[in-house]
Short mmCIF file of all heavy atoms in Angstrom, two decimals:
data_model
loop_
_atom_site.label_atom_id
_atom_site.label_comp_id
_atom_site.label_asym_id
_atom_site.label_seq_id
_atom_site.Cartn_x
_atom_site.Cartn_y
_atom_site.Cartn_z
N LEU A 135 26.93 -0.81 5.61
CA LEU A 135 27.24 -1.60 4.42
C LEU A 135 28.37 -1.01 3.58
O LEU A 135 29.32 -1.73 3.23
CB LEU A 135 25.98 -1.83 3.58
CG LEU A 135 26.15 -2.78 2.41
CD1 LEU A 135 26.63 -4.16 2.85
CD2 LEU A 135 24.84 -2.90 1.65
N PRO A 136 28.35 0.29 3.23
CA PRO A 136 29.48 0.82 2.46
C PRO A 136 30.82 0.71 3.20
O PRO A 136 31.86 0.46 2.58
CB PRO A 136 29.12 2.30 2.23
CG PRO A 136 27.67 2.40 2.49
CD PRO A 136 27.31 1.28 3.42
N LEU A 137 30.78 0.86 4.51
CA LEU A 137 32.02 0.72 5.30
C LEU A 137 32.55 -0.71 5.23
O LEU A 137 33.75 -0.93 5.06
CB LEU A 137 31.77 1.13 6.75
CG LEU A 137 31.41 2.59 6.98
CD1 LEU A 137 30.98 2.82 8.42
CD2 LEU A 137 32.56 3.50 6.59
N LEU A 138 31.65 -1.68 5.32
CA LEU A 138 32.06 -3.08 5.21
C LEU A 138 32.60 -3.39 3.82
O LEU A 138 33.59 -4.12 3.68
CB LEU A 138 30.88 -4.00 5.55
CG LEU A 138 30.43 -4.00 7.00
CD1 LEU A 138 29.10 -4.74 7.14
CD2 LEU A 138 31.48 -4.60 7.90
N LEU A 139 31.98 -2.84 2.80
CA LEU A 139 32.47 -3.04 1.43
C LEU A 139 33.85 -2.41 1.27
O LEU A 139 34.74 -3.00 0.66
CB LEU A 139 31.49 -2.45 0.42
CG LEU A 139 30.12 -3.11 0.35
CD1 LEU A 139 29.20 -2.33 -0.59
CD2 LEU A 139 30.22 -4.55 -0.08
N LEU A 140 34.02 -1.23 1.82
CA LEU A 140 35.31 -0.54 1.74
C LEU A 140 36.41 -1.34 2.41
O LEU A 140 37.47 -1.60 1.82
CB LEU A 140 35.19 0.85 2.38
CG LEU A 140 36.46 1.68 2.46
CD1 LEU A 140 36.89 2.10 1.06
CD2 LEU A 140 36.24 2.89 3.34
N PHE A 141 36.17 -1.78 3.64
CA PHE A 141 37.20 -2.48 4.41
C PHE A 141 37.44 -3.91 3.93
O PHE A 141 38.49 -4.49 4.21
CB PHE A 141 36.88 -2.46 5.90
CG PHE A 141 36.97 -1.07 6.48
CD1 PHE A 141 35.89 -0.49 7.11
CD2 PHE A 141 38.15 -0.34 6.38
CE1 PHE A 141 35.97 0.78 7.63
CE2 PHE A 141 38.24 0.94 6.90
CZ PHE A 141 37.15 1.51 7.53
N SER A 142 36.48 -4.48 3.21
CA SER A 142 36.69 -5.84 2.69
C SER A 142 37.20 -5.83 1.25
O SER A 142 37.38 -6.89 0.65
CB SER A 142 35.41 -6.67 2.82
OG SER A 142 34.39 -6.10 2.05
N GLY A 143 37.40 -4.65 0.70
CA GLY A 143 37.97 -4.54 -0.65
C GLY A 143 37.00 -4.80 -1.79
O GLY A 143 37.42 -5.04 -2.91
N VAL A 144 35.70 -4.72 -1.52
CA VAL A 144 34.70 -4.92 -2.58
C VAL A 144 34.41 -3.54 -3.18
O VAL A 144 33.38 -2.94 -2.94
CB VAL A 144 33.42 -5.59 -2.03
CG1 VAL A 144 32.43 -5.86 -3.15
CG2 VAL A 144 33.76 -6.87 -1.29
N TRP A 145 35.34 -3.06 -3.96
CA TRP A 145 35.28 -1.70 -4.48
C TRP A 145 34.19 -1.50 -5.53
O TRP A 145 33.61 -0.42 -5.63
CB TRP A 145 36.63 -1.32 -5.09
CG TRP A 145 37.74 -1.41 -4.11
CD1 TRP A 145 38.58 -2.48 -3.92
CD2 TRP A 145 38.12 -0.44 -3.15
NE1 TRP A 145 39.46 -2.22 -2.92
CE2 TRP A 145 39.21 -0.96 -2.42
CE3 TRP A 145 37.65 0.83 -2.83
CZ2 TRP A 145 39.83 -0.26 -1.40
CZ3 TRP A 145 38.29 1.53 -1.82
CH2 TRP A 145 39.35 0.98 -1.11
N SER A 146 33.89 -2.51 -6.31
CA SER A 146 32.96 -2.35 -7.42
C SER A 146 31.54 -2.01 -6.95
O SER A 146 30.79 -1.34 -7.66
CB SER A 146 32.94 -3.58 -8.31
OG SER A 146 32.56 -4.72 -7.57
N TRP A 147 31.16 -2.46 -5.76
CA TRP A 147 29.82 -2.20 -5.24
C TRP A 147 29.75 -0.94 -4.36
O TRP A 147 28.67 -0.51 -3.98
CB TRP A 147 29.33 -3.40 -4.43
CG TRP A 147 28.94 -4.54 -5.31
CD1 TRP A 147 29.77 -5.48 -5.87
CD2 TRP A 147 27.64 -4.85 -5.77
NE1 TRP A 147 29.06 -6.35 -6.64
CE2 TRP A 147 27.74 -6.00 -6.60
CE3 TRP A 147 26.39 -4.29 -5.57
CZ2 TRP A 147 26.64 -6.58 -7.22
CZ3 TRP A 147 25.30 -4.88 -6.17
CH2 TRP A 147 25.43 -6.01 -6.99
N LEU A 148 30.90 -0.38 -4.05
CA LEU A 148 30.94 0.78 -3.16
C LEU A 148 30.18 1.99 -3.71
O LEU A 148 29.39 2.60 -2.98
CB LEU A 148 32.40 1.14 -2.83
CG LEU A 148 32.61 2.18 -1.75
CD1 LEU A 148 31.96 1.76 -0.44
CD2 LEU A 148 34.10 2.41 -1.54
N PRO A 149 30.37 2.38 -5.00
CA PRO A 149 29.60 3.54 -5.49
C PRO A 149 28.09 3.35 -5.39
O PRO A 149 27.37 4.28 -5.00
CB PRO A 149 30.05 3.67 -6.96
CG PRO A 149 31.39 3.02 -7.00
CD PRO A 149 31.32 1.89 -5.99
N LEU A 150 27.61 2.15 -5.73
CA LEU A 150 26.18 1.90 -5.63
C LEU A 150 25.71 1.99 -4.18
O LEU A 150 24.67 2.58 -3.88
CB LEU A 150 25.82 0.53 -6.21
CG LEU A 150 24.34 0.14 -6.09
CD1 LEU A 150 23.44 1.10 -6.86
CD2 LEU A 150 24.13 -1.29 -6.57
N SER A 151 26.49 1.42 -3.26
CA SER A 151 26.09 1.45 -1.85
C SER A 151 26.03 2.88 -1.33
O SER A 151 25.15 3.23 -0.55
CB SER A 151 27.02 0.59 -0.99
OG SER A 151 28.30 1.16 -0.90
N LEU A 152 26.93 3.73 -1.79
CA LEU A 152 26.91 5.14 -1.37
C LEU A 152 25.73 5.89 -1.98
O LEU A 152 25.08 6.69 -1.29
CB LEU A 152 28.23 5.83 -1.73
CG LEU A 152 29.45 5.33 -0.95
CD1 LEU A 152 30.74 5.91 -1.53
CD2 LEU A 152 29.32 5.64 0.53
N CYS A 153 25.42 5.61 -3.24
CA CYS A 153 24.24 6.23 -3.88
C CYS A 153 22.96 5.82 -3.15
O CYS A 153 22.09 6.66 -2.88
CB CYS A 153 24.15 5.83 -5.35
SG CYS A 153 25.38 6.58 -6.41
N LEU A 154 22.85 4.54 -2.83
CA LEU A 154 21.65 4.06 -2.14
C LEU A 154 21.59 4.58 -0.71
O LEU A 154 20.50 4.86 -0.21
CB LEU A 154 21.58 2.54 -2.19
CG LEU A 154 21.38 1.97 -3.60
CD1 LEU A 154 21.32 0.45 -3.56
CD2 LEU A 154 20.15 2.54 -4.28
N LEU A 155 22.74 4.75 -0.07
CA LEU A 155 22.75 5.36 1.26
C LEU A 155 22.17 6.77 1.20
O LEU A 155 21.33 7.14 2.03
CB LEU A 155 24.17 5.38 1.83
CG LEU A 155 24.37 6.20 3.12
CD1 LEU A 155 23.51 5.66 4.25
CD2 LEU A 155 25.84 6.21 3.50
N VAL A 156 22.61 7.55 0.23
CA VAL A 156 22.09 8.91 0.08
C VAL A 156 20.58 8.89 -0.14
O VAL A 156 19.83 9.65 0.48
CB VAL A 156 22.82 9.65 -1.06
CG1 VAL A 156 22.12 10.97 -1.42
CG2 VAL A 156 24.28 9.91 -0.69
N LEU A 157 20.12 7.98 -1.01
CA LEU A 157 18.68 7.87 -1.28
C LEU A 157 17.91 7.48 -0.02
O LEU A 157 16.88 8.09 0.30
CB LEU A 157 18.43 6.86 -2.39
CG LEU A 157 16.96 6.59 -2.76
CD1 LEU A 157 16.27 7.87 -3.24
CD2 LEU A 157 16.87 5.50 -3.80
N VAL A 158 18.41 6.50 0.71
CA VAL A 158 17.72 6.04 1.92
C VAL A 158 17.70 7.14 2.99
O VAL A 158 16.67 7.36 3.64
CB VAL A 158 18.37 4.74 2.47
CG1 VAL A 158 17.89 4.42 3.87
CG2 VAL A 158 18.09 3.58 1.52
N VAL A 159 18.80 7.85 3.16
CA VAL A 159 18.82 8.96 4.13
C VAL A 159 17.82 10.03 3.71
O VAL A 159 17.05 10.54 4.54
CB VAL A 159 20.25 9.54 4.27
CG1 VAL A 159 20.23 10.87 5.03
CG2 VAL A 159 21.17 8.54 4.98
N TRP A 160 17.79 10.34 2.42
CA TRP A 160 16.84 11.36 1.94
C TRP A 160 15.39 10.90 2.18
O TRP A 160 14.57 11.69 2.64
CB TRP A 160 17.08 11.65 0.46
CG TRP A 160 16.16 12.69 -0.08
CD1 TRP A 160 16.19 14.04 0.15
CD2 TRP A 160 15.03 12.46 -0.95
NE1 TRP A 160 15.17 14.66 -0.52
CE2 TRP A 160 14.44 13.72 -1.20
CE3 TRP A 160 14.49 11.32 -1.52
CZ2 TRP A 160 13.32 13.86 -2.00
CZ3 TRP A 160 13.37 11.47 -2.33
CH2 TRP A 160 12.81 12.72 -2.56
N LYS A 161 15.08 9.64 1.88
CA LYS A 161 13.73 9.13 2.08
C LYS A 161 13.36 9.04 3.57
O LYS A 161 12.19 9.05 3.91
CB LYS A 161 13.56 7.76 1.41
CG LYS A 161 13.58 7.79 -0.10
CD LYS A 161 12.39 8.52 -0.68
CE LYS A 161 11.11 7.75 -0.52
NZ LYS A 161 9.95 8.38 -1.14
N HIS A 162 14.38 8.95 4.43
CA HIS A 162 14.15 8.87 5.88
C HIS A 162 14.34 10.22 6.58
O HIS A 162 14.41 10.26 7.81
CB HIS A 162 15.10 7.83 6.51
CG HIS A 162 14.67 6.43 6.31
ND1 HIS A 162 14.91 5.73 5.13
CD2 HIS A 162 14.01 5.56 7.13
CE1 HIS A 162 14.42 4.51 5.25
NE2 HIS A 162 13.87 4.38 6.45
N ARG A 163 14.40 11.30 5.85
CA ARG A 163 14.70 12.60 6.46
C ARG A 163 13.70 12.97 7.56
O ARG A 163 14.09 13.49 8.60
CB ARG A 163 14.85 13.68 5.41
CG ARG A 163 13.62 13.97 4.60
CD ARG A 163 13.94 14.84 3.36
NE ARG A 163 12.76 15.14 2.59
CZ ARG A 163 12.18 14.32 1.72
NH1 ARG A 163 12.68 13.12 1.51
NH2 ARG A 163 11.10 14.70 1.06
N GLU A 164 12.42 12.67 7.36
CA GLU A 164 11.43 12.96 8.40
C GLU A 164 11.63 12.05 9.62
O GLU A 164 11.47 12.49 10.76
CB GLU A 164 10.02 12.83 7.84
CG GLU A 164 9.70 13.89 6.81
CD GLU A 164 8.34 13.69 6.16
OE1 GLU A 164 7.58 12.78 6.60
OE2 GLU A 164 8.03 14.44 5.22
N ASN A 165 11.98 10.78 9.37
CA ASN A 165 12.27 9.86 10.48
C ASN A 165 13.47 10.36 11.28
O ASN A 165 13.48 10.27 12.51
CB ASN A 165 12.58 8.46 9.96
CG ASN A 165 11.44 7.85 9.19
OD1 ASN A 165 11.31 8.11 8.00
ND2 ASN A 165 10.61 7.07 9.86
N ILE A 166 14.48 10.86 10.59
CA ILE A 166 15.68 11.36 11.27
C ILE A 166 15.33 12.53 12.17
O ILE A 166 15.77 12.58 13.33
CB ILE A 166 16.77 11.75 10.24
CG1 ILE A 166 17.27 10.49 9.50
CG2 ILE A 166 17.92 12.49 10.91
CD1 ILE A 166 18.12 10.78 8.28
N ILE A 167 14.49 13.43 11.68
CA ILE A 167 14.06 14.56 12.51
C ILE A 167 13.30 14.05 13.73
O ILE A 167 13.54 14.51 14.86
CB ILE A 167 13.20 15.55 11.69
CG1 ILE A 167 14.09 16.25 10.64
CG2 ILE A 167 12.51 16.57 12.59
CD1 ILE A 167 13.32 17.02 9.58
N ARG A 168 12.41 13.08 13.53
CA ARG A 168 11.65 12.54 14.66
C ARG A 168 12.56 11.80 15.64
O ARG A 168 12.35 11.85 16.85
CB ARG A 168 10.52 11.63 14.17
CG ARG A 168 9.36 12.40 13.53
CD ARG A 168 8.14 11.52 13.32
NE ARG A 168 8.40 10.40 12.45
CZ ARG A 168 8.20 10.39 11.14
NH1 ARG A 168 7.74 11.47 10.53
NH2 ARG A 168 8.44 9.30 10.42
#
Side-chain angles (χ1 to χ4, degrees):
L135 187 58
L137 295 171
L138 292 169
L139 295 174
L140 177 68
F141 292 122
S142 62
V144 184
W145 302 95
S146 59
W147 286 83
L148 189 58
L150 177 62
S151 69
L152 293 171
C153 288
L154 294 180
L155 170 61
V156 169
L157 178 61
V158 168
V159 168
W160 181 73
K161 290 294 288 183
H162 281 81
R163 63 193 181 281
E164 293 175 6
N165 299 85
I166 293 168
I167 291 167
R168 287 192 300 267

